[in-house]
């Protein structure tokens, strides 16, 4: 007997994605699009409402005319961008960064984080995450078959009635210690923090890092908002040479230059860690688009001479201050951020 054709066939998804459903951005973006009041300010997703700087746009256009930029790029990234990042970040890290062995270009910072997790975490291993947290952390951890252990960031007791700094959100070091088991392989630190705008203090970072060294835990330091911080902050990898050997720092071209759609990120770390991240990155997406990498290189090469970082921070901080006057007028207390996230 011939089975009649079915109008609809149901396929069972793999267990690692079966519980995903819609992500928070899909839900918020759909709600914003469906609003009868248009245009509407959508605060649900962290993309910019304006273009990257003109000199970056021109660099991208020029790159599109180059044959080598339109073909596969080296898996670890185009040499010019890695060299530009080395020159830009070596002073910030207090040491010379080797562009060949200590930097890996990824297809967005999120893919870089997934590559780092997949490179070192086995199914059943545990990763520590401070909450609240960026939604994708959880999905990346689940995709690797790992388990998320949460350590809460707690607001100050007067946060519901008084405007307080984001830095006042704290965590209990004992809770962090208790969360660690023999299966703990990694911790994710996000500073400047999304969504709080908190910058972890040097004391806080040192206390976390010392525990990680004691238990041989890799530190995945998400610093994608480093260029959107309103002032200096401590980078985990700069706390000590020993701590740097445990640390992978995540960066984002998209956040730095208002180009989130370009999907260019990077990881900085010791060769002993970067080697394995690069291997995983190669298997996930092989290489990152060339024209965007070449334009990003121009961005880091010219940003200082054009005062771009200074102007960018002043502009974004000014927008934050203007926006937050709304809450002041309504009498609603908010946490004052130290960075735009």
């Amino acid at each position: 007997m011939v089975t009649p054709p079915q109008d609809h066939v149901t396929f069972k998804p793999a267990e690692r994605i079966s519980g995903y459903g819609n992500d928070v951005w899909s839900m918020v973006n759909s709600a914003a699009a469906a609003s009868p009041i248009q245009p509407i300010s959508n605060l649900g997703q962290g993309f910019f409402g304006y273009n990257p700087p003109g000199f970056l746009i021109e660099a991208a256009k020029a790159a599109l005319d180059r044959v080598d930029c339109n073909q596969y790029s080296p898996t670890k990234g185009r040499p010019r961008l890695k060299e530009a990042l080395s020159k830009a970040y070596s002073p910030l890290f207090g040491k010379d960064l080797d562009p060949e062995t200590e930097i890996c270009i990824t297809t967005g910072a999120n893919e870089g984080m997934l590559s780092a997790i997949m490179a070192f975490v086995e199914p059943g291993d545990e990763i520590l995450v401070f909450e609240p947290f960026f939604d994708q952390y959880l999905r990346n951890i689940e995709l690797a078959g790992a388990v998320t252990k949460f350590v809460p960031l707690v607001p100050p007791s007067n946060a519901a009635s008084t405007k307080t700094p984001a830095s006042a959100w704290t965590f209990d070091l004992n809770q962090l210690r208790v969360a660690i088991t023999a299966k703990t392989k990694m911790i994710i630190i996000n500073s400047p923090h999304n969504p709080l705008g908190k910058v972890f203090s040097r004391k806080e970072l040192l206390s976390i890092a010392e525990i990680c060294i004691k238990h041989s835990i890799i530190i995945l330091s998400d610093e994608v908002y480093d260029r959107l911080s309103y002032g200096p902050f401590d980078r985990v990898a700069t706390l000590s040479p020993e701590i740097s050997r445990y640390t992978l720092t995540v960066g984002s071209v998209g956040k730095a230059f208002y180009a989130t759609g370009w999907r260019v990120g990077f990881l900085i770390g010791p060769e002993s860690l970067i080697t394995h991240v690069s291997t995983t990155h190669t298997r996930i997406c092989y290489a990152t688009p060339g024209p965007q990498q070449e334009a990003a290189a121009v961005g880091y090469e010219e940003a200082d001479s054009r005062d771009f970082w200074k102007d960018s921070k002043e502009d974004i901080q000014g927008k934050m201050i203007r926006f937050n006057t709304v809450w002041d007028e309504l009498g609603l207390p908010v946490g004052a951020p130290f960075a735009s996230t």
Side-chain angles (χ1 to χ4, degrees):
M1 178 181 294
V2 178
T3 302
Q6 297 181 346
D7 294 332
H8 179 70
V9 179
T10 301
F11 294 98
K12 182 181 178 181
E15 185 176 346
R16 60 180 170 269
I17 66 163
S18 60
Y20 277 16
N22 281 338
D23 59 70
V24 64
W25 303 291
S26 297
M27 291 186 284
V28 173
N29 291 345
S30 295
S35 172
I37 302 174
Q38 296 292 340
I40 188 170
S41 295
N42 180 1
L43 305 180
Q45 189 168 2
F47 54 76
F48 300 89
Y50 42 90
N51 269 337
F55 72 96
L56 215 68
I57 295 289
E58 292 305 312
K61 291 178 180 178
L64 287 169
D65 288 329
R66 291 173 47 182
V67 174
D68 64 314
C69 286
N70 288 305
Q71 307 308 318
Y72 292 123
S73 290
T75 58
K76 290 179 64 175
R78 294 184 65 81
R80 184 178 181 183
L81 177 54
K82 291 190 296 180
E83 185 65 34
L85 287 168
S86 174
K87 290 181 179 178
Y89 280 89
S90 287
L92 301 177
F93 277 62
K95 66 175 184 177
D96 291 332
L97 296 170
D98 188 327
E100 291 304 312
T101 63
E102 296 183 304
I103 297 174
C104 177
I105 308 303
T106 59
T107 309
N110 188 53
E111 187 266 316
M113 296 193 74
L114 176 62
S115 293
I117 291 169
M118 297 292 283
F120 296 102
V121 175
E122 299 284 2
D125 285 345
E126 297 173 353
I127 298 179
L128 300 176
V129 173
F130 290 96
E131 59 176 348
F133 55 87
F134 176 51
D135 175 83
Q136 288 292 80
Y137 294 167
L138 188 59
R139 302 310 187 192
N140 287 346
I141 293 168
E142 290 174 345
L143 196 62
V147 177
T148 310
K149 300 288 286 291
F150 300 103
V151 178
L153 289 169
V154 181
S157 58
N158 62 339
S161 58
T162 306
K163 186 174 183 177
T164 55
S167 60
W169 286 64
T170 58
F171 63 94
D172 187 329
L173 198 59
N174 286 326
Q175 282 188 306
L176 176 62
R177 292 191 182 100
V178 170
I180 295 172
T181 72
K183 293 183 177 181
T184 306
K185 294 297 189 296
M186 182 178 286
I187 186 170
I188 298 176
I189 302 175
N190 181 203
S191 181
H193 184 274
N194 175 15
L196 297 179
K198 169 186 171 70
V199 169
F200 283 69
S201 70
R202 183 179 182 85
K203 181 180 179 180
E204 288 175 322
L205 294 175
L206 279 169
S207 67
I208 297 168
E210 287 168 359
I211 292 174
C212 290
I213 290 173
K214 178 181 178 181
H215 296 278
S216 296
I217 297 170
I218 294 172
I219 302 169
L220 189 56
S221 183
D222 180 356
E223 299 177 14
V224 299
Y225 295 103
D226 66 335
R227 300 293 183 172
L228 302 183
S229 172
Y230 305 143
F233 68 98
D234 288 293
R235 299 174 185 273
V236 177
T238 67
L239 297 176
S240 76
E242 185 177 21
I243 293 171
S244 71
R245 289 194 287 272
Y246 287 80
T247 305
L248 283 165
T249 300
V250 185
S252 170
V253 170
K255 294 294 194 296
F257 291 106
Y258 327 144
T260 57
W262 286 17
R263 310 311 301 139
V264 180
F266 56 90
L267 269 70
I268 297 174
E271 183 177 4
S272 59
L273 296 177
I274 289 293
T275 295
H276 304 300
V277 172
S278 299
T279 298
T280 310
H281 160 71
T282 303
R283 299 280 66 81
I284 291 175
C285 62
Y286 186 73
T288 299
Q292 291 95 314
Q293 287 193 63
E294 202 70 10
V298 173
Y300 285 103
E301 289 167 356
E302 299 184 9
D304 285 319
S305 63
R306 293 176 178 270
D307 285 333
F308 174 74
W309 303 129
K310 173 179 172 293
D311 294 344
S312 175
K313 287 180 182 180
E314 290 177 354
D315 177 59
I316 291 174
Q317 186 173 20
K319 291 175 180 176
M320 181 274 295
I321 292 172
R322 290 195 298 275
F323 179 76
N324 280 344
T325 58
V326 173
W327 314 120
D328 295 337
E329 293 170 1
L330 294 173
L332 296 175
V334 297
F338 195 73
S340 288
T341 60

